[in-house]
């Protein structure tokens, strides 16, 4: 239900945008803990390369960058396009 409200962020006051980011941060932290556990145990490594650590970074950093756009949502033109664009650019930069 929380993810349904991201498109209305430009109309919401700052306290509701901060509450959204707090809930999103909780999900990001849980995801990072799970990916770190898999990276430490090296269950998904190929040779001597443990790519799961970098995959975890790319997923979590994308959401963190999107949070920065969400926090300044009332002042961002084309809000939905910018959020999706920031996430895609960050993800592709971290993967490359």
């Amino acid at each position: 239900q929380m993810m349904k409200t991201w498109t209305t962020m430009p109309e919401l006051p700052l306290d509701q945008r901060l509450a959204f980011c707090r809930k999103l941060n909780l999900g990001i932290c849980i995801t990072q803990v799970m990916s770190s556990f898999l990276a430490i145990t090296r269950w998904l490594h190929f040779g001597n390369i443990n790519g799961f650590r970098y995959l975890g970074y790319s997923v979590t950093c994308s959401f963190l960058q999107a949070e920065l756009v969400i926090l300044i949502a009332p002042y961002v033109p084309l809000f939905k396009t910018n959020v999706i664009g920031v996430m895609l650019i960050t993800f592709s930069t971290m993967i490359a």
Side-chain angles (χ1 to χ4, degrees), residues 69 76-87:
V69 178
V76 177
L78 301 170
F79 170 72
K80 294 179 194 176
T81 306
N82 278 324
V83 169
I84 293 170
V86 163
M87 288 183 71

Side-chain angles (χ1 to χ4, degrees), residues 41-80:
T41 57
R42 298 180 60 86
W43 285 346
L44 300 174
H45 74 282
F46 301 102
N48 198 21
I49 299 172
N50 192 355
F52 205 83
R53 178 176 61 186
Y54 301 108
L55 186 62
Y57 289 156
S58 64
V59 171
T60 57
C61 288
S62 300
F63 283 105
L64 290 173
Q65 292 297 317
E67 280 184 8
L68 294 174
V69 178
I70 288 171
L71 288 175
I72 60 169
Y75 305 105
V76 177
L78 301 170
F79 170 72
K80 294 179 194 176

